[in-house]
Every structure is written in structure tokens, then in C-alpha cells.
Amino acid sequence: MTIEKMTPIDEGFWTKPVNADEEIQLIGSKCSECGELFFPEKNKNWCIHCYKSALKKVLFSRKGKIATFSVVMQKPAGGFYHGGAPYCYGCIDIEDGIRIKSLISTDDYDSLKLGMDVELVIEKLWDDKDGNEVSTFKFKPV
Amino acid sequence: MKNLNEMRNVYVAGMGLIPWKVYDKEHYDFGSEALLNALNDAEMSWNEMQAAFCGSVYQGTGSGHQLIKEIGLTGLPIVNVENACSSGSSAFRLAYLMVAAEICDVAVAIGMEKMPKGPIPSTAFLPWELASGFNAQMANYANETIEYMEETGTTLEDFSRVTVKNRKNGALNPNARFQKPVTLEEVMASRVVATPLRLFHCCPLADGAAAVILCSEDKLKSKSRALTVAASVITSGVYGEGMMMSSTMASLKYPPKEGLVELSVRQAYEATGYGPEDMDVVQAYDTMASAEIWDIEKLGFCKKGEAAKLLKEGVFDIDGKIPLNTDGGLMSRGHPLGATGLGQICEIINQLRGEAGKRQVKDAKIGLAHAMGAGPNSSVTILKK
């Protein structure tokens, strides 16, 4: 299934390229007063760092490094997460200077290391009850 | 704004605990038993209570009212307090402030919880975070743990010694859910729950309740067992500090000058004039074995990266220089969310009164309890003889 037919976990998290040579990027906010970065994009024009209404839409680099990670052996309680287990998530330090919490995609959990270079991917999270693929952003070792 | 030390003295008149375990009964049944124990301990009658604050997380609307209906409605104001794992200590602070500010003379703090089964279904996350599986609290701690290990060189074996120490202490606590010690080998061989953490690095759940009655000096029935509340502080989150348990990400551009725990404990030390060197007994927040290690450092008892070495040397044992989680901590008591913060305070009360039985710390005069809570919250309570 192509990405276009997937249902994103949240509208507005990443760009939807029109041309084949464009790459998907995560969308966030940048404060033009203090320079602080936010992900996902803030839905109100208010910087929670400097308290100014100076946010602008910004696209983040696709590249980062693993700052922290954990491989989780069982699904969390509450029934909100319908993906597989074990699964892995952690903090990714993006080149632009923002830390983003993200699922980490790999076939080999044992190979994951702190400081490892990773790149943005869009992947299926689960099939919903109507048979649609629910997709999300992840970071994958390069 | 008034400083805590500008208000009148507040005293611990009584405390009540019940065994923490898995109950068939409802929270108001066993919670009201803890409250009756506190009343009995304070030698007070129920109609002397002028305000009640009831901490819980999962018990729903009016849960404190349900509990107090078991004892009797007297017209006193009942306020339910949901402040995640620091709900009980938040209730304590509110009761303390009511007496300190001379709004009332006797107030009671209650914490209780009948826990849902299995890992905590924390909903303190945004919908997309929940859908992504980011509410696995053990994994959130694991993420912080791996970062801490990288920064300090602390090992999994070091963390495992926290479990061994606390379960050893828990074996001396008749109210603890787990009263059987474990070996280092058993901790290291327990199953992985979220790399690098294993099952025995995680605190168990339990149902439980605790109650503490606070009052002004003139309302004390017995001065010989009374303790003074030296400080009760809560701070809730500072910008830029990463706490995945509370869904806050570290700011790479603007890291905080002072972390949340450091801020709360500094306020408590400033209000009392005490420092970590004055504490005879400490209850730190050991939801995870690794959390106790970094908590005791953030509370100022040693520098970052030093706690594992001190633990190995026995500094945190009951007969050590800084007795830590003497009742077995969350690791042995279990973790009924709304009760935990108050349970920690009850252990300090036991220790300062000299009523801690086999786990008694010699000549304990001043003690500190620290609870975290998703949000995030950090609450620090200092009691003195």
C-alpha cells in the first residue's frame, strides 16, 4: 500500500509531497523571538518558552541521532496502542536542535545504540477496523 | 507571598496505616480504616476535624466523600486531590497550609487507592502519544535510565542493589505488600520489561491507604509523640526539563538551570534552614530502582553519579549514614498511587517517634520524604521531632 492511501496517526505531523523528488519532513513550530522549536506544530500562536505570540511553521531535518531508547516487551495498558510488541521508542535529537519522542524502526533491536544516526520514515502502525493502514512517523537507523 | 517559616507551627497529631496488599474491599472500606487508625492514634474524636483532603488517582468523582461517609458527614469541607503519584503528599500539603495559615486548627490528609490490574494505564498523555504506545511508564523510566547510565557509568547491577536493599527493609515492615527479601541474582535474572529494566527493577502495585492528622499546638492531645512539620513543598514542572513519564521533552536550546526536584528540595531546605546533612532518615521515590539512585542525588545527598557507590558501601542501609526507604519503599510497600506520598510520610513519622520496630533508625530526629508525580510534580516533606 502506498503512503497516500494510509491514514496518518495525526493530520499535520508531516508534509505530503506532491512531486516525486520531494522528501517527507516533520512539521513543527519555531519561535521567531527566542528560536525555540516545537513538535508537533503548536495549534495556537504562543511560545511556551518566552510567552510571545511569535510562532512560525517550520520543517525539520530528516536526520537525527538516538539520544535514548527502550525496547518495550508488552503493550501498555489502557488499550490505546494497537501496534505490535515488542516495540521500541525513544528520544531523537534532530539536527535542527530539537528532541523528538518517536518510535524507532529496526529489525534488529540488539543493534540499537545511543548516538546512532537515524532518518525519518513513515510506516504502518496498525490496520484499523475498516482495514485502513494507520501510519506514523518513526526514525530508522541509517 | 508568605514564606512557610513565617506561618504558625503545624504538628503531626496522628497517623493511620493499614497493610498494603490486594484488597477485595473497595477504597472507602480500607481507606476509612486508615482514617480511624489515625483518629485513634491522635486520640481525637471525629467531630474535631475541620477539613479533609483526600488524595487518589483512579477512584473517580467524590471518592473522598465516599470514604468519609463511612466515618460520618459533619459538614466539614472535603476536597478530593488528584495529583498523580504525589496526590497523597499534595493532600498533606493542603491540610498543612490550612492549619499553618490559621484557617483551621485540625485538618486531615488521606491518601487511598484501589489499583487497576496490570501496568498503569496513565492517561496523562496526548491522544497521538497514547496511540504511539508512549504511555508505557516502565519504558519512559527505561529511557531516562539509559541516558543516566550513559552519563554516569552506573550499571544495571548497581540499580539492582536498590531492589535488594529495599526488599530487605520491606521484610521488616508488616504493612508492606512484599515482605520477602530478594537476591541480586534474582533481580538480574527477572524478565526484561523495557530494556534495560527488568521486572524486579519496577515497584509492584498494591491497594492501600494512609491518613495523617495535622493540628495547631493547642489542639495536641499528647505532646510527647508530636512532631513538627518543618516544610511541605510542591513544585510542578520547569521549562525544558525532559521527563518522559510526564510527557515533557528536554529542550536542547533552553535546558533548565535547575531541575524540578532540585527546585522543590531547595525550597524545603530554605524554609527550614536544614540541608541534606541534617536528615537522619529519608524516603526517596523508588518507582523504579534506577529512580531511587538519581532521586537521592537530586535531593542533594551526593553528587550525580555517586549514589551507586554509596549504596554498595551501605551508606543507605538502615544502620548506614543516610538510611533510605527504611520501610522498603515503593519497591516493597507497593504503589497505590494516591496513597504512596502519604505512606512515605507515615514512615518518617514512625521513625521520628521511635516506633518503627525492627527497622528503627537510631536517634532519628529529622526526616525527609520525596514523592514525584506525573504532571510532573515534586513534593518534599520535612518533619522534625
Side-chain angles (χ1 to χ4, degrees):
Chain A
M1 184 175 271
T2 59
I3 285 163
E4 287 74 17
K5 289 176 185 168
M6 287 178 167
T7 310
I9 191 166
D10 200 304
E11 290 291 341
F13 275 16
W14 59 84
T15 57
K16 305 198 173 38
V18 181
N19 303 316
D21 59 339
E22 291 177 60
E23 288 192 304
I24 291 170
Q25 287 177 276
L26 292 180
I27 304 167
S29 300
K30 180 175 185 174
C31 178
S32 47
E33 288 283 337
C34 72
E36 183 62 308
L37 301 171
F38 303 100
F39 176 83
E41 186 182 9
K42 292 284 179 194
N43 60 11
K44 62 177 100 39
N45 186 10
W46 177 259
C47 175
I48 59 169
H49 170 251
C50 73
Y51 316 136
K52 302 273 169 42
S53 295
L55 297 187
K56 298 272 188 295
K57 184 175 181 170
V58 64
L59 302 183
F60 294 128
S61 164
R62 295 168 49 82
K63 294 187 168 68
K65 288 182 188 300
I66 296 178
T68 73
F69 71 95
S70 176
V71 181
V72 197
M73 295 303 156
Q74 67 182 82
K75 295 182 187 189
F80 304 103
Y81 171 75
H82 305 291
Y87 66 107
C88 178
Y89 68 93
C91 294
I92 309 298
D93 286 351
I94 305 295
E95 285 179 339
D96 311 81
I98 179 172
R99 180 169 286 195
I100 289 178
K101 185 163 54 176
S102 173
L103 292 164
I104 295 171
S105 173
T106 177
D107 298 327
D108 181 11
Y109 291 128
D110 292 339
S111 70
L112 292 176
K113 287 188 173 49
L114 297 181
M116 191 175 245
D117 289 313
V118 287
E119 192 169 17
L120 178 71
V121 291
I122 305 297
E123 288 185 2
K124 173 177 141 177
L125 193 50
W126 68 72
D127 292 312
D128 72 13
K129 59 182 188 300
D130 301 321
N132 299 315
E133 284 194 2
V134 176
S135 61
T136 193
F137 69 94
K138 297 183 182 180
F139 281 85
K140 190 171 189 169
V142 178
Chain B
M1 188 167 148
K2 264 189 182 172
N3 288 322
L4 294 180
N5 52 11
E6 290 167 5
M7 297 192 280
R8 73 168 163 177
N9 283 344
V10 177
Y11 297 84
V12 175
M15 56 147 274
L17 276 173
I18 50 163
W20 289 12
K21 57 183 187 180
V22 178
Y23 279 95
D24 289 332
K25 296 187 279 190
E26 295 302 319
H27 70 84
Y28 42 83
D29 285 323
F30 58 75
S32 53
E33 284 170 28
L35 179 51
L36 285 176
N37 289 344
L39 266 183
N40 191 38
D41 186 52
E43 300 172 57
M44 287 181 169
S45 61
W46 174 239
N47 55 18
E48 286 180 85
M49 302 299 120
Q50 297 166 356
F53 296 93
C54 302
S56 71
V57 178
Y58 290 116
Q59 308 310 305
T61 305
S63 55
H65 299 67
Q66 275 182 297
L67 186 154
I68 282 174
K69 279 176 191 165
E70 297 285 316
I71 308 297
L73 293 172
T74 60
L76 91 167
I78 305 165
V79 176
N80 296 290
V81 181
E82 190 283 296
N83 226 7
C85 306
S86 45
S87 296
S89 47
S90 298
F92 180 93
R93 174 172 156 94
L94 292 170
Y96 161 74
L97 290 177
M98 287 290 274
V99 179
E102 303 180 34
I103 292 165
C104 61
D105 297 327
V106 187
V108 58
I110 302 158
M112 80 296 201
E113 203 76 52
K114 187 175 169 71
M115 288 299 294
K117 295 249 182 321
I120 300 166
S122 179
T123 51
F125 295 88
L126 297 170
W128 74 272
E129 295 176 315
L130 291 170
S132 303
F134 294 163
N135 64 323
Q137 288 297 38
M138 293 170 291
N140 289 329
Y141 274 102
N143 267 280
E144 305 236 337
T145 300
I146 198 168
E147 190 174 29
Y148 177 86
M149 289 169 83
E150 176 79 2
E151 281 179 38
T152 62
T154 305
T155 65
L156 209 56
E157 194 169 299
D158 290 326
F159 299 136
S160 301
R161 286 194 188 88
V162 170
T163 308
V164 173
K165 168 181 70 71
N166 290 358
R167 289 288 294 270
K168 186 179 162 194
N169 294 351
L172 306 175
N173 178 3
N175 287 323
R177 176 169 181 193
F178 288 152
Q179 298 178 31
K180 186 171 165 279
V182 290
T183 64
L184 190 63
E185 293 70 30
E186 284 172 318
V187 178
M188 293 296 283
S190 61
R191 70 181 162 88
V192 175
V193 291
T195 62
L197 295 175
R198 291 170 179 272
L199 183 66
F200 284 12
H201 295 126
C202 311
C203 72
L205 301 180
D207 304 328
V212 176
I213 296 171
L214 300 176
C215 69
S216 53
E217 188 171 6
D218 57 315
K219 296 293 181 189
L220 280 172
K221 298 290 193 279
S222 159
K223 288 193 180 162
S224 63
R225 290 167 77 231
L227 305 171
T228 307
V229 183
S232 172
V233 169
I234 299 173
T235 53
S236 301
V238 294
Y239 184 82
E241 185 171 28
M243 287 193 174
M244 290 179 77
M245 298 75 84
S246 295
S247 186
T248 61
M249 294 303 291
S251 169
L252 300 182
K253 290 184 189 291
Y254 296 103
K257 290 186 179 69
E258 183 178 44
L260 174 62
V261 176
E262 293 88 338
L263 171 68
S264 57
V265 82
R266 180 170 58 77
Q267 288 184 3
Y269 289 149
E270 284 176 2
T272 57
Y274 296 136
E277 65 282 1
D278 296 307
M279 299 303 140
D280 300 313
V281 56
V282 182
Q283 295 282 297
Y285 196 64
D286 60 325
T287 35
M288 294 285 159
S290 50
E292 178 178 300
I293 292 283
W294 66 62
D295 202 39
I296 199 71
E297 294 173 352
K298 290 178 177 186
L299 292 170
F301 288 88
C302 59
K303 292 201 183 83
K304 186 171 188 176
E306 287 181 356
K309 180 172 166 283
L310 298 180
L311 173 67
K312 200 173 175 180
E313 290 169 1
V315 169
F316 302 132
D317 290 347
I318 287 175
D319 59 357
K321 189 162 167 270
I322 308 165
L324 177 56
N325 287 332
T326 47
D327 64 349
L330 280 72
M331 212 55 83
S332 300
R333 262 193 333 257
H335 187 24
L337 272 61
T340 282
L342 210 51
Q344 293 178 306
I345 292 170
C346 286
E347 174 63 5
I348 299 293
I349 297 170
N350 270 324
Q351 290 286 353
L352 301 191
R353 282 174 166 182
E355 296 173 1
K358 288 180 184 169
R359 58 182 197 282
Q360 182 64 49
V361 171
K362 210 176 159 204
D363 297 328
K365 292 184 177 64
I366 306 173
L368 180 150
H370 177 238
M372 293 297 289
N377 300 302
S378 173
S379 71
V380 176
T381 310
I382 297 176
L383 304 182
K384 67 175 176 181
K385 234 177 164 167

